[in-house]
């Protein structure tokens, strides 16, 4: 069985993880609401991920809501010593599937408290602000997480869906360990945020790393490289992310063990400079 050979990154300068992690959003019901059709299958995927050498699992309280966090505890606790479980707070869900920003300090404190219980931990390794709330002062939201870090119930603070300006604002309040923004082969609008993360040695977690396979203008080059290397287009996309920057920490998610194994297989695909050039054109 292929093992995760993605190299490592030190989140916050101290939590060493393999750069290919696992995103646990898809281990829920339809529209990321409710339980999966087969919870035993979901648990098997999580257990297989750790057996393959994945030691960074990312989730959020809004996935389910609560379902993903609970499944992680039921599948993996007592947690392996080297496993880093990251979660997020700041989005409220409803039965219509909406994602509603909620960034007031009291809400974030309550969301964090609930995540502690569902994950079965006393401290969350990496807690991320899921999305800035336009109705709440951004500094107040980040300050609430900084205070939780000072209280010892958050190990490291991360941000998600932020601009460079917001990242700079947050860094004046707390040490920012990671940023999670949309980024993939066909979507690079946040190159400036990635550059800032590289400058500050902040982990950059690209969400939607596989773009559901849709990369528009990059499709021809992607198909060519995949065919030449006897790899899937998804493996090439993951290999591209890992090669693109030393701070990228892709977290492809799946509810299928075979897809999971294929994703880990991407860590054995070393793209050449020429192949990277073709994909970057």
């Amino acid at each position: 069985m292929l093992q995760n050979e993605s190299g490592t990154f030190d989140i916050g300068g101290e939590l060493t993880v393999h750069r290919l992690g696992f995103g646990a959003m898809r281990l829920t019901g339809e529209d990321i609401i409710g339980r999966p059709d087969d919870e035993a299958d979901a648990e098997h995927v999580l257990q297989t991920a750790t057996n393959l050498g994945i030691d960074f699992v990312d989730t959020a309280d809004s996935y389910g809501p609560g379902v993903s966090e609970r499944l992680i505890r039921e599948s993996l606790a007592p947690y392996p010593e080297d496993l880093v479980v990251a979660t997020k707070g700041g989005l409220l869900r409803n039965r219509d599937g909406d994602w509603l920003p909620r960034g007031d300090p009291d809400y974030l404190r309550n969301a964090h408290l609930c995540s502690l219980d569902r994950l079965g931990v006393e401290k969350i390794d990496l807690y991320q602000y899921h999305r800035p709330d336009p109705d709440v002062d951004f500094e107040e939201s980040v300050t609430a997480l900084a205070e939780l870090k000072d209280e010892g119930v958050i190990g490291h603070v991360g941000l998600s869906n932020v601009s460079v300006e917001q990242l700079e604002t947050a860094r004046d309040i707390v040490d920012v360990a990671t940023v999670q923004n949309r980024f993939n082969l066909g979507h690079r609008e946040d190159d400036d945020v990635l550059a800032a993360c590289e400058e500050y040695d902040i982990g950059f977690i690209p969400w939607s790393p596989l773009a559901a396979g849709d990369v528009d203008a990059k499709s021809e080059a992607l198909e060519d490289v995949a065919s030449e290397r006897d790899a899937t287009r998804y493996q090439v996309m993951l290999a591209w992310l890992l090669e693109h920057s030393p701070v990228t920490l892709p977290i492809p998610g799946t509810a299928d063990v075979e897809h999971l194994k294929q994703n880990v297989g991407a860590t054995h695909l070393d793209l050449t400079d020429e192949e990277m050039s073709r994909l970057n054109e």
Side-chain angles (χ1 to χ4, degrees):
M1 185 181 296
L2 287 179
Q3 290 291 300
N4 188 355
E5 298 290 344
S6 56
T8 62
F9 180 83
D10 295 337
I11 294 176
E14 64 177 25
L15 294 178
T16 301
V17 298
H18 284 88
R19 289 178 56 214
L20 184 78
F22 178 79
M25 183 177 77
R26 295 293 174 187
L27 299 181
T28 61
E30 187 177 356
D31 295 327
I32 324 301
I33 294 290
R35 298 180 178 185
D37 291 337
D38 191 327
E39 291 202 5
D41 279 352
E43 293 177 3
H44 180 49
V45 169
L46 283 164
Q47 291 162 356
T48 301
T50 58
N51 289 338
L52 291 170
I54 290 176
D55 49 19
F56 178 49
V57 175
D58 178 86
T59 187
D61 66 343
S62 53
Y63 300 162
V67 173
S68 178
E69 291 181 327
R70 175 180 58 79
L71 284 172
I72 288 170
R73 184 195 74 238
E74 292 176 353
S75 306
L76 302 178
Y79 300 110
E81 186 175 344
D82 61 347
L83 180 67
V84 172
V85 176
T87 193
K88 298 179 285 292
L91 288 179
L92 184 69
R93 302 301 306 283
N94 59 31
R95 292 187 181 276
D96 294 327
D98 296 321
W99 303 79
L100 307 173
R102 290 293 186 274
D104 66 90
D106 285 340
Y107 181 87
L108 290 176
R109 283 184 170 275
N110 180 259
H112 169 268
L113 193 62
C114 292
S115 290
L116 286 176
D117 179 68
R118 283 189 292 265
L119 289 170
V121 296
E122 296 182 356
K123 179 175 75 172
I124 292 172
D125 298 325
L126 172 64
Y127 193 84
Q128 304 153 93
Y129 184 26
H130 207 152
R131 183 183 300 166
D133 184 341
D135 296 325
V136 177
D137 182 81
F138 181 70
E139 294 185 20
E140 291 184 5
S141 303
V142 176
T143 296
L145 300 189
E147 291 171 349
L148 289 172
K149 183 175 185 291
D150 289 341
E151 293 168 16
V153 289
I154 287 177
H156 296 277
V157 172
L159 306 172
S160 186
N161 300 300
V162 294
S163 65
V164 172
E165 181 180 2
Q166 289 169 324
L167 172 58
E168 297 288 6
T169 296
R171 291 185 67 246
D172 288 337
I173 299 170
V174 67
D175 289 333
V176 177
T178 59
V179 170
Q180 185 168 163
N181 281 16
R182 183 185 179 195
F183 195 88
N184 54 58
L185 179 62
H187 183 98
R188 308 184 202 174
E189 281 76 357
D190 283 347
D191 256 325
D192 58 340
V193 180
L194 173 57
C197 288
E198 290 174 339
E199 179 180 354
Y200 302 129
D201 201 28
I202 291 172
F204 184 85
I205 305 171
W207 64 263
S208 189
L210 300 178
D214 183 9
V215 291
D216 296 328
K218 303 294 181 182
S219 289
E220 184 176 352
L222 178 60
E223 291 292 351
D224 288 345
V225 173
S227 177
E228 292 163 9
R229 299 299 296 271
D230 193 25
T232 69
R233 60 192 285 127
Y234 300 110
Q235 287 176 321
V236 174
M237 291 177 73
L238 288 175
W240 178 85
L241 277 170
L242 291 167
E243 182 66 29
H244 185 66
S245 170
V247 304
T248 52
L249 309 172
I251 49 167
T254 180
D256 183 88
V257 167
E258 290 308 312
H259 289 164
L260 172 64
K261 292 178 180 178
Q262 289 178 15
N263 290 341
V264 172
T267 68
H268 294 255
L269 180 61
D270 294 323
L271 298 177
T272 66
D273 291 343
E274 187 271 338
E275 288 168 334
M276 288 294 294
S277 178
R278 287 158 60 191
L279 293 168
N280 286 329
E281 287 179 356

